[in-house]
């Protein structure tokens, strides 16, 4: 293999022919362009981060709403079962009274049970309204909403 020697002038002339003038000019001042690109990319990244954070908070609130709706639905089913049971007990007390038994104490206990079922139903309705208000507040973050819901739970 032979070594070829190339003069510096020939190399410069060759590069001048092969490299376009725009590429030479654009490489002479890369810092302002890079800074602009970096600032644009940073702005896009920050916008995406805030968008994802907002979506995540909304998803947390939606999960909490869904949980509460499921829980209140279960409570309502429980209350309907308890009321049906109270009705059955009332019918049996009526039959016992027809047979001559003294059922005044049991009727009083049943009336007290119906009152406590009604108060529990009202408490669930009130709590549902408060939960909806807390979760509908767009100024609260998901963590603040969770803290308010926990405070509501503790009473």
């Amino acid at each position: 293999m032979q070594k070829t020697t190339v003069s510096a002038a020939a190399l410069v002339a060759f590069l001048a022919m092969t490299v376009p003038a725009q590429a030479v000019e654009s490489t002479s001042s890369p810092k302002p362009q890079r800074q602009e690109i970096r600032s644009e990319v940073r702005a896009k990244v920050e916008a995406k981060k805030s968008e994802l954070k907002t979506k995540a908070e909304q998803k947390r609130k939606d999960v909490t709403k869904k949980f509460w709706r499921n829980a209140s639905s279960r409570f309502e089913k429980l209350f309907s079962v308890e009321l049906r049971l109270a009705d059955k007990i009332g019918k049996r007390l009526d039959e016992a009274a027809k047979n001559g038994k003294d059922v005044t104490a049991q009727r009083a206990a049943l009336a007290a049970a119906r009152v406590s079922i009604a108060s529990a139903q009202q408490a669930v309705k009130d709590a549902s309204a408060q939960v909806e208000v807390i979760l509908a507040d767009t100024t609260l973050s998901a963590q603040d909403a969770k803290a308010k819901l926990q405070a509501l739970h503790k009473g």
Side-chain angles (χ1 to χ4, degrees), residues 103-121:
V103 292
T104 55
Q106 288 81 4
R107 286 194 192 274
L110 183 61
R114 287 182 188 267
V115 168
S116 55
I117 291 170
S119 67
Q121 280 179 319

Side-chain angles (χ1 to χ4, degrees), residues 13 22 51 70 72 74 79-80 90 98 130-131 144 149:
Q22 293 174 348
E51 178 185 334
N70 287 341
S72 63
R74 287 185 202 126
F79 296 143
S80 68
K98 284 181 187 176
Q130 290 175 344
V131 166
D144 293 339
L149 291 173

Side-chain angles (χ1 to χ4, degrees), residues 25-79:
E25 289 175 10
S26 67
T27 58
S28 63
S29 61
K31 292 197 181 214
Q33 290 177 351
R34 285 184 186 166
Q35 289 174 350
E36 290 175 16
I37 291 171
R38 283 182 183 165
S39 65
E40 290 174 9
V41 169
R42 284 184 185 139
K44 288 179 183 178
V45 167
E46 290 299 320
K48 190 67 173 179
K49 278 184 183 179
S50 75
E51 178 185 334
L52 291 175
K53 184 178 179 182
T54 305
K55 282 184 181 179
E57 286 188 0
Q58 186 60 42
K59 187 172 182 174
R60 284 186 204 119
K61 285 184 178 183
D62 291 342
V63 166
T64 305
K65 279 182 187 179
K66 184 178 178 182
F67 172 80
W68 180 254
R69 286 185 183 137
N70 287 341
S72 63
S73 173
R74 287 185 202 126
F75 282 130
E76 290 300 323
K77 288 177 185 175
L78 177 68
F79 296 143

